[in-house]
Amino acid sequence: MEKTVQLYEGKAKKVFATEQDDLVIVSYKDDATALDGLKKGTIAGKGAINNRMSNYLMQLLEKQGVKTHFVEELNDRETVVRKVSIVPLEVIVRNISAGSFAKRYGVAEGIVFDEPTIEFSYKNDELHDPLINSYHALALKLATKEEIATIKEMAFKVNEVLKEYFLTLGVKLVDFKLEFGRLADGTIVLADEISPDTCRFWDAKTNEKLDKDRFRRDMGGVEDAYKEMMHRVFG
Ligand code: UDP
């Protein structure tokens, strides 16, 4: 499978067309942004780590019956995925309070919830990805009622599978962001990526942060945290 023209360049990935109309190639960059694009930088080796980890997790999820866009890993940074039209929602699932949840509701980080939560943001850079509920998503025609129900069900399933998996690696899955896409026939599949860029990972014993929060919060040890997660997954 060969790249043809570049279709899109995002903050962390480029997307290329292929000879096959229903397949695209994503190429992961080391570029990182945070704080609504205000903070920019690079995290050496991140592209390859996110590519490999995301592909591994997508395949794990497929085995558990979650449909994903994953097709084939080409090399360290590049992967063939099914072409989708992205549902313009950031779907965030949380098991433990952190980040914007802790800030918005004035609670400490680290409170373990009795049940996981789900929330949506409207993917819109000009509006800064505002928080919305499913009625708003329907009103804005971002997705149908059936699609929203499917997305919620899939997101909680992803959480169950990944929470259990990461615990076996000594990692707490605090929260994460998912994106979903529609195939040409309308099927909803899990798209985008699952990586230390899009998940909060805390060491199960020490609560040490092993994710992009180290970059967002200028904590240092950013590359080491990504490498540590890579080692926990791949040994
Ligand atoms: N997240 C993401 N992209 C975003 C916003 C959040 O991947 O644009 C992820 C983030 O890494 C975390 C989860 O979603 O794992 C919840 O993030 P939160 O809402 O707490 O926002 P933040 O504190 O990162 O602004």
Side-chain angles (χ1 to χ4, degrees):
M1 188 67 45
E2 298 275 320
K3 293 180 283 195
T4 58
V5 291
Q6 185 174 312
L7 298 174
Y8 171 82
E9 175 158 10
K11 291 165 203 138
K13 295 188 283 295
K14 293 178 184 176
V15 181
F16 296 88
T18 67
E19 316 91 80
Q20 217 177 300
D21 207 37
D22 57 346
L23 298 177
V24 295
I25 292 174
V26 292
S27 178
Y28 284 73
K29 305 190 286 184
D30 284 353
D31 297 349
T33 65
L35 312 175
D36 200 22
L38 248 65
K39 188 177 168 66
K40 287 192 173 70
T42 58
I43 301 172
K46 169 172 91 75
I49 290 173
N50 287 7
N51 180 45
R52 292 195 53 204
M53 194 185 298
S54 189
N55 291 342
Y56 180 84
L57 296 174
M58 294 262 179
Q59 290 173 89
L60 185 80
L61 288 163
E62 287 275 0
K63 282 190 207 132
Q64 300 296 321
V66 178
K67 290 184 200 115
T68 80
H69 70 168
F70 176 80
V71 177
E72 185 194 4
E73 187 171 289
L74 290 179
N75 55 54
D76 256 15
R77 280 173 194 274
E78 295 179 329
T79 296
V80 183
V81 300
R82 292 201 267 183
K83 188 196 254 179
V84 298
S85 93
I86 288 285
V87 177
L89 292 171
E90 297 201 337
V91 180
I92 293 171
V93 177
R94 302 177 190 270
N95 297 304
I96 299 174
S97 65
S100 71
F101 182 96
K103 197 169 170 201
R104 184 181 320 125
Y105 302 121
V107 296
E109 291 202 312
I111 299 165
V112 180
F113 303 148
D114 292 340
E115 296 283 337
T117 69
I118 192 164
E119 69 204 48
F120 300 113
S121 291
Y122 175 23
K123 248 176 89 71
N124 183 314
D125 283 341
E126 274 147 56
L127 299 175
H128 311 285
D129 302 338
L131 183 67
I132 62 172
N133 65 33
S134 17
Y135 295 94
H136 297 161
L138 258 181
L140 293 167
K141 302 194 193 305
L142 305 183
T144 67
K145 218 172 180 167
E146 293 70 30
E147 286 174 336
I148 291 169
T150 303
I151 286 171
K152 283 184 181 167
E153 196 183 315
M154 288 173 76
F156 283 127
K157 172 81 183 182
V158 168
N159 186 47
E160 289 314 309
V161 173
L162 295 188
K163 201 171 57 176
E164 194 183 299
Y165 168 69
F166 280 111
L167 215 48
T168 67
L169 308 179
V171 171
K172 292 182 197 168
L173 178 61
V174 174
D175 58 27
F176 56 93
K177 185 261 303 180
L178 301 175
E179 295 186 22
F180 292 86
R182 299 179 188 97
L183 299 178
D185 70 357
T187 307
I188 296 282
V189 298
L190 181 62
D192 194 50
E193 68 178 277
I194 309 172
S195 71
D197 271 16
T198 64
C199 302
R200 283 195 171 93
F201 297 126
W202 293 357
D203 180 88
K205 285 211 184 86
T206 65
N207 282 338
E208 186 192 355
K209 295 185 196 303
L210 298 171
D211 57 59
K212 196 175 165 189
D213 266 350
R214 303 198 76 90
F215 171 79
R216 293 189 189 100
R217 302 177 186 189
D218 291 318
M219 296 170 74
V222 184
E223 276 91 359
D224 285 345
Y226 279 72
K227 272 192 217 147
E228 175 62 25
M229 282 307 302
M230 185 75 172
H231 288 141
R232 299 241 185 149
V233 172
F234 293 103

